[in-house]
Each structure stands twice: as structure tokens, then as C-alpha cells.
């Protein structure tokens, strides 16, 4: 099995550790702050910035997994 790994965008948080793809986009949870951000799944803008939709607090601690 072979594949290609490509850097697509920077995460909106310092320690992204939980990822979940939904119809709305990509949810990313920061393991340090436990905040959850929804970002657009697309090529970053000419400035290398990913479109951020929203961010919410979670009641988790040291989040390392997420499911929808």
C-alpha cells in the first residue's frame, strides 16, 4: 500500500489531537485547552490560512479522540 502525505493547512490550535470529518467540515480538538474548532476542508488561502467556521468549549480533559 502506498500513499501521499501532503501538508494541507495549519491547525487552529497548538496541540491538535482529536479529528473528525463531518459534512460541515473538519472538527479539531486541542489537547491542552480542550476547545473544539470547525474548519473548512479545502486548500488554504494564498496566505496559508484555513477558513475557520466556529469554536466551542468542551467538557473533556486532555482530549485524544472524538467521534460523530
Amino acid at each position: 500500500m502506498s500513499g501521499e502525505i501532503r501538508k494541507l493547512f495549519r491547525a487552529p490550535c497548538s496541540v491538535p489531537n482529536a479529528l473528525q470529518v463531518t459534512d460541515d467540515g473538519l472538527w479539531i480538538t486541542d489537547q491542552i485547552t480542550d476547545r473544539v474548532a470547525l474548519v473548512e476542508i479545502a486548500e488554504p488561502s494564498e496566505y496559508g490560512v484555513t477558513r475557520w467556521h466556529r469554536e466551542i468549549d468542551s467538557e473533556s480533559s486532555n482530549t485524544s479522540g472524538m467521534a460523530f
Side-chain angles (χ1 to χ4, degrees), residues 56-67:
I56 57 174
D57 286 322
S58 73
E59 296 180 14
S60 63
S61 178
N62 297 321
T63 307
S64 63
M66 170 171 42

Side-chain angles (χ1 to χ4, degrees), residues 2 4 6 11 13 15 17-18 25 28-29 42 44 48-50 53 55 61:
S2 63
E4 176 186 349
R6 181 168 62 110
C13 51
V15 185
N17 201 31
I28 304 172
T29 304
V49 178
T50 303
H53 289 288
E55 186 175 80
S61 178

Side-chain angles (χ1 to χ4, degrees), residues 9-20:
F9 60 86
R10 289 178 58 190
C13 51
S14 60
V15 185
N17 201 31
L19 304 172
Q20 180 64 54

